[in-house]
Amino acid sequence: MATHISPLAGKPAPASSLVDIARLVTAYYSEVPEPSVAAQRVAFGTSGHRGSSFAVSFNERHVLAITQAICQYRAKQGIDGPLFLGIDTHALSQPACASALEVLAANGVETMLATNDEYTPTPAVSHAILVYNRGRTAGLADGIVVTPSHNPPDNGGFKYNPPNGGPAGTEITGWIEAAANGLLGASMQGVRRVPYAEALRAATTHRHDYIGSYVADLDNVIDFEAIRNAKVRMGVDPLGGAGVHYWARIAEHYKLDLTVVSDSVDATFRFMTLDWDGQIRMDPSSPYAMQRLLDIKDRFDIAFACDTDHDRHGIVTSKAGLLAPNHYLAVAIDYLFQHRPQWAANAAVGKTVVSTRLIDLVTKRLGLRLYEVPVGFKWFADGLLDGSLGFGGEESAGASFLRRDGTVWTTDKDGLAPALLSAEITARCGRDPGQLYAELAQEFGNPLTDRVEAPATVQQKKQLAALTPAQLGASELAGEKIDSVLGNAPGNGAAIGGIKVIARSGWFAARPSGTEDIYKIYAESFAGADHLQRILEDAQAIVDRAIAPPAAAGGGNAASKKDH
């Protein structure tokens, strides 16, 4: 199960790796998707529709069709409040925003664009929806965020947030996806649209101060007084993302010792260091993508970064370096539930099935209820909305948590709040999150995690998604008896869309990719690196055997990638 790390990983992006922005935007407008080709249809994954205009998987027709489908969904559901529309800094986000506005205006949707066309983080859109909807039972708001998250610069993305402020659930995205593909198949007949200049002048198009509203409300989530009093020195790298101008405003508003190490915005993201595979990817959980901040970590007491739409965080300490996302989630949970006395006593801890078991152990020690769900932040939205979840987090460095008074903050991932929480933790505990994780590891053990991918056909992916515990055909994992096999998440009973196998010292989960012909294996061991490797090897053998065609015998796919 070899991992192929590029020799360029962690090094500055060479000119040869930079995307041609002019060609990319031209392809957005000129290429026409073929609805009969699966890769060119609208497809919502866990975070909306994503693709590249070069691959004819994200272009003008996709955005027009999706936006019209959203308008139809709103009408069907009686959602008639304002729609908050935000964008990140990817090259395709601005043209996609323009396309969306043309359709929204033609459909008479009250649309809230950012003041001064400011970039807008995903959590700022979620926050705006929730603040507007507070106390309302009618005329509810919803939102669209134009972002492919941390994906490479040639990607575009488009996701819908309903009135609960979180990522749309599968019942919503399935409806929108089908309606959008119907419009593509009908050569766009049924798409209402006005010219962009007319859409900007429309009486339904308004401006909203996302940055001012979000920043002014942050002290209801983070204890800035403690950070100021402790004189915590902070550094932040926005990675050229949508929150690039938020950090200086936060520092000024709350009088913090916070240094923005770079405020560059460049759609080629030429300032990035290359990720593990030699690609430009704005992933704050990758030590390769975070090399710029790691090089200067000793200048700060705590440092952090966020991805392009600022819904993921990366935490860096001078001694521990970049914390693994699972490690910081455990530290944040342990801290928050002991330092938020106004939270409901029965507020639960939310985690996905592929997040660390260390969260389970911390939650049990705190006497709290664990809410374990399938992959996707959408599963946390309603619990965060009503306060029954104090915290929701996933292993890919996405999290959100309640305001200090126990009411909802955001119901989508918020990279800024967990980043700033690391400074509060440092201030209040006198130790940074890396040191606090070391204490947790001494108490519970130090789990090692890995994630790999292997090829799978469309049919094999369907088989894996439908796999039941009874079909597994295995009794041991890395030399230990298998204690349990899950096909459904313990927290809400929803299908995992794969399988999770648990033994005494470790576990693995396998699920198919929603966008590529691969499956993913997540694994964790409390018994060291060799044991983790055995889990990965056994996991792949178990999965390959379970999804193999009836005539197949022996062998297995070669794992192709490790994320972290």
Side-chain angles (χ1 to χ4, degrees):
M1 301 190 59
T3 298
H4 306 294
I5 303 297
S6 167
L8 296 176
K11 297 180 180 178
S16 59
S17 70
L18 304 181
V19 67
D20 186 328
I21 301 299
R23 284 185 58 236
L24 184 71
V25 175
T26 298
Y28 172 84
Y29 287 108
S30 62
E31 297 292 336
V32 177
E34 173 50 62
S36 65
V37 177
Q40 296 182 23
R41 292 169 61 82
V42 172
F44 276 80
T46 55
S47 296
H49 173 76
R50 295 181 185 176
S52 172
S53 58
F54 287 148
V56 203
S57 52
F58 186 93
N59 67 7
E60 183 183 39
R61 288 201 172 196
H62 292 109
V63 174
L64 296 173
I66 296 170
T67 309
Q68 182 63 48
I70 289 172
C71 291
Q72 293 169 356
Y73 176 79
R74 297 180 96 244
K76 176 174 174 285
Q77 297 296 319
I79 302 170
D80 55 4
L83 183 144
F84 291 90
L85 177 58
I87 68 169
D88 76 0
T89 55
H90 276 80
L92 292 178
S93 293
Q94 288 190 350
C97 181
S99 300
L101 184 62
E102 291 173 359
V103 175
L104 293 168
N107 283 272
V109 175
E110 301 283 340
T111 303
M112 312 299 284
L113 297 177
T115 302
N116 299 322
D117 294 317
E118 181 60 76
Y119 302 114
T120 316
T122 286
V125 173
S126 179
H127 175 265
I129 294 169
L130 295 171
V131 168
Y132 183 87
N133 287 343
R134 187 181 299 146
R136 297 178 186 267
T137 57
L140 298 178
D142 54 1
I144 290 171
V145 190
V146 186
T147 175
S149 189
H150 61 287
N151 280 22
D154 68 348
N155 275 221
F158 205 84
K159 61 182 185 179
Y160 175 64
N161 288 40
N164 72 1
T170 51
E171 71 286 351
I172 298 175
T173 57
W175 193 97
I176 292 171
E177 180 182 304
N181 283 320
L183 292 165
L184 286 178
S187 300
M188 307 302 286
Q189 290 184 22
V191 174
R192 302 177 63 183
R193 182 184 186 187
V194 298
Y196 181 60
E198 182 179 334
L200 280 175
R201 295 193 305 267
T204 52
T205 299
H206 312 283
R207 295 289 174 172
H208 177 72
D209 183 12
Y210 289 93
I211 187 170
S213 174
Y214 180 92
V215 170
D217 207 8
L218 260 176
D219 64 342
N220 288 306
V221 186
I222 301 296
D223 186 352
F224 288 111
E225 183 179 5
I227 297 172
R228 280 194 303 272
N229 290 345
K231 296 180 171 57
V232 178
R233 294 171 300 138
M234 294 164 280
V236 60
D237 190 345
L239 301 181
V244 65
H245 299 139
Y246 280 58
W247 295 105
R249 287 281 292 273
I250 291 169
E252 178 184 11
H253 190 90
Y254 295 106
K255 299 178 174 56
L256 305 176
D257 184 356
L258 174 61
T259 300
V260 182
V261 301
S262 173
D263 60 2
S264 297
V265 175
D266 181 334
T268 66
F269 293 89
R270 67 181 69 238
F271 46 77
M272 288 295 299
T273 49
L274 298 180
D275 204 1
W276 67 273
D277 57 353
Q279 299 292 311
I280 295 176
R281 193 179 287 110
M282 288 61 69
D283 182 358
S285 67
S286 165
Y288 305 106
M290 288 280 279
Q291 191 60 53
R292 180 168 67 175
L293 191 56
L294 287 168
D295 285 343
I296 58 172
K297 60 184 173 60
D298 293 338
R299 290 169 45 188
F300 311 106
D301 297 317
I302 193 80
F304 33 80
C306 292
D307 68 338
T308 324
D309 68 322
H310 270 50
D311 73 344
R312 301 188 188 198
H313 60 270
I315 309 300
V316 174
T317 73
S318 58
K319 291 184 179 178
L322 177 64
L323 299 187
N326 274 316
H327 296 183
Y328 181 60
L329 292 182
V331 170
I333 290 165
D334 195 38
Y335 172 83
L336 282 167
F337 284 89
Q338 297 184 75
H339 291 82
R340 293 296 188 266
Q342 291 182 275
W343 285 11
N346 61 349
V349 175
K351 60 163 273 190
T352 59
V353 293
V354 297
S355 299
T356 179
R357 195 175 124 211
L358 187 59
I359 292 174
D360 308 38
L361 300 174
V362 169
T363 301
K364 183 178 180 180
R365 191 246 285 143
L366 292 170
L368 302 171
R369 180 172 65 89
L370 184 70
Y371 183 67
E372 186 173 356
V373 299
V375 172
F377 209 79
K378 63 190 177 187
W379 302 108
F380 300 132
D382 289 338
L384 290 167
L385 184 63
D386 65 17
S388 61
L389 277 182
F391 181 98
E394 55 186 16
E395 56 81 34
S396 57
S400 190
F401 46 91
L402 299 176
R403 294 170 183 262
R404 290 198 278 170
D405 67 1
T407 60
V408 64
W409 168 243
T410 62
T411 50
D412 208 331
K413 297 188 291 286
D414 185 342
L416 294 94
L420 291 163
L421 180 69
S422 69
E424 179 190 327
I425 291 172
T426 303
R428 293 281 298 271
C429 297
R431 303 183 302 288
D432 65 44
Q435 295 168 307
L436 291 172
Y437 174 75
E439 295 175 13
L440 287 181
Q442 187 172 16
E443 180 180 358
F444 295 114
N446 184 22
L448 301 178
T449 61
D450 204 350
R451 188 180 105 176
V452 298
E453 299 174 352
T457 65
V458 172
Q459 180 59 36
Q460 287 174 324
K461 286 166 54 179
K462 288 181 180 178
Q463 288 176 247
L464 177 55
L467 194 63
T468 66
Q471 296 172 294
L472 200 61
S475 59
E476 288 192 354
L477 177 65
E480 294 183 339
K481 178 179 174 293
I482 291 175
D483 293 329
S484 60
V485 181
L486 305 179
N488 296 80
N492 60 0
I496 293 173
I499 207 82
K500 182 174 182 178
V501 178
I502 305 167
R504 181 174 58 86
S505 303
W507 58 266
F508 81 85
R511 55 187 293 269
S513 169
T515 56
E516 301 174 83
D517 288 334
I518 58 173
Y519 69 79
K520 302 177 182 181
I521 293 175
Y522 306 78
E524 179 173 68
S525 170
F526 277 75
D530 290 344
H531 185 251
L532 177 63
Q533 185 64 25
R534 287 187 65 190
I535 290 177
L536 289 168
E537 291 170 355
D538 283 3
Q540 190 168 0
I542 290 170
V543 172
D544 285 347
R545 188 164 58 244
I547 66 175
N557 296 326
S560 59
K561 166 178 159 185
K562 176 167 70 175
D563 281 9
H564 45 75

